[in-house]
Amino acid sequence: MSSRVAALRDLLQQKYPEAEVSPAGVLPTGVKELDEANGGLAQGVVTELVGPTSAGTLFTEIMLGVLVRQGCFGALVEAGNSFHPGDADANALQRLLWVRCPSVMLAVKAADLLLRDGNLRVLLLDLQTAPERELRRVPASTWHRFQRLVETSGMALVILNSQPAIEAARVRIAIRQRWKLECMKRRRRQLLRQLSMQVFERRQFPILADTEQKTA
């Protein structure tokens, strides 16, 4: 495990030799609900996105578009195998560092390292398919440390989860759609236009399990 983290550290030093602190702000996403609520994806903040795996996949697609439009770099760290680069835009992939990890703890270690790099504007930590027992092993203090790191770097950190679990999150995005099998025949752009989000500040966090809706 330590050798893999060391290899990631060496890769960062080669690809991003100089790190600068980015000013906190927002990244427009093109998603109506998110942009109208906060002006876009908040930087310097831990955001938790809660929803099915399909929703996380579509949100990743949205963020790849943001990297291209903003001309910035981002990273995707996943504890699993949800991301399929063959489906992504080639221009976006040139701006993405993809780290696939076999466990939650290794993904958290990789994210911890990447959060200290000021050249990245966005970090997606995908825990959607991770076993719940592994998620429970991550101390709550880890997420609070992540919040302090993003406050310093100005990075936007989005943690993708199937259920709300990140105590330190300042913003929560809820995607409650459950796509039917017929949606697999539609183009991804069509699904993106139909994607419905709800955005909550920390003081507004609901109990999502009690309000989950099914949408075609």
Side-chain angles (χ1 to χ4, degrees), residues 110-158:
D112 196 334
L113 178 60
L114 290 169
L115 285 173
R116 303 172 192 276
D117 187 277
N119 291 287
L120 301 175
R121 294 282 296 280
V122 179
L123 172 60
L124 302 180
L125 177 57
D126 187 353
L127 304 177
Q128 294 176 104
T129 61
E132 186 177 348
R133 64 181 182 278
E134 288 192 34
L135 289 173
R136 288 199 297 265
R137 292 173 184 163
V138 182
S141 59
T142 297
W143 308 124
H144 288 286
R145 185 175 74 254
F146 281 11
Q147 175 57 44
R148 292 193 296 271
L149 287 171
V150 296
E151 287 174 357
T152 300
S153 68
M155 189 185 299
L157 169 61
V158 184

Side-chain angles (χ1 to χ4, degrees), residues 22 38 47 49 53-54 59 63 82 89 91 93 117 130 132 158 163 182 185-186 197 199 201 208 214 216:
S22 302
N38 292 331
T47 296
L49 184 138
T53 304
S54 58
F59 187 80
M63 295 315 302
S82 301
D89 178 75
N91 292 328
L93 292 177
D117 187 277
E132 186 177 348
V158 184
Q163 295 293 333
E182 62 186 33
K185 300 178 182 179
R186 301 179 189 175
M197 298 181 180
V199 184
E201 298 290 339
L208 299 183
K214 293 187 178 180

Side-chain angles (χ1 to χ4, degrees), residues 6-215:
L8 177 58
R9 184 180 294 111
D10 292 340
L11 177 61
L12 282 174
Q13 290 176 350
Q14 294 172 14
K15 191 168 185 178
Y16 309 116
E18 296 181 1
E20 297 180 0
V21 175
S22 302
V26 294
L27 290 171
T29 64
V31 178
K32 180 180 178 181
E33 294 91 338
L34 184 54
D35 290 352
E36 287 184 351
N38 292 331
L41 182 64
Q43 296 178 259
V45 165
V46 174
T47 296
E48 183 178 35
L49 184 138
V50 178
T53 304
S54 58
T57 299
L58 290 174
F59 187 80
T60 300
E61 181 84 5
I62 290 169
M63 295 315 302
L64 289 176
V66 170
L67 297 182
V68 173
R69 290 194 300 273
Q70 296 291 323
C72 59
F73 294 96
L76 168 64
V77 178
E78 60 172 348
N81 190 22
S82 301
F83 182 61
H84 301 286
D87 299 332
D89 178 75
N91 292 328
L93 292 177
Q94 292 179 357
R95 298 189 169 276
L96 181 72
L97 177 64
W98 175 36
V99 184
R100 186 168 62 183
C101 302
S103 69
V104 169
M105 293 308 297
L106 187 56
V108 168
K109 287 179 179 292
D112 196 334
L113 178 60
L114 290 169
L115 285 173
R116 303 172 192 276
D117 187 277
N119 291 287
L120 301 175
R121 294 282 296 280
V122 179
L123 172 60
L124 302 180
L125 177 57
D126 187 353
L127 304 177
Q128 294 176 104
T129 61
E132 186 177 348
R133 64 181 182 278
E134 288 192 34
L135 289 173
R136 288 199 297 265
R137 292 173 184 163
V138 182
S141 59
T142 297
W143 308 124
H144 288 286
R145 185 175 74 254
F146 281 11
Q147 175 57 44
R148 292 193 296 271
L149 287 171
V150 296
E151 287 174 357
T152 300
S153 68
M155 189 185 299
L157 169 61
V158 184
I159 302 174
L160 311 180
N161 260 333
S162 59
Q163 295 293 333
I166 308 303
E167 181 182 332
R170 301 292 178 87
V171 177
R172 180 171 290 150
I173 302 171
I175 302 179
R176 301 169 183 172
Q177 286 161 304
R178 293 294 188 271
W179 305 103
K180 294 182 178 180
L181 287 176
E182 62 186 33
C183 294
M184 296 180 66
K185 300 178 182 179
R186 301 179 189 175
R187 293 182 180 275
R188 189 168 293 184
R189 291 182 179 179
Q190 291 178 305
L191 298 178
L192 286 172
R193 287 196 293 268
Q194 297 174 6
L195 195 62
S196 178
M197 298 181 180
Q198 287 182 289
V199 184
F200 303 94
E201 298 290 339
R202 184 176 178 82
R203 64 181 180 278
Q204 302 170 321
F205 283 0
I207 301 175
L208 299 183
D210 295 338
T211 57
E212 185 177 277
Q213 300 174 354
K214 293 187 178 180
T215 306

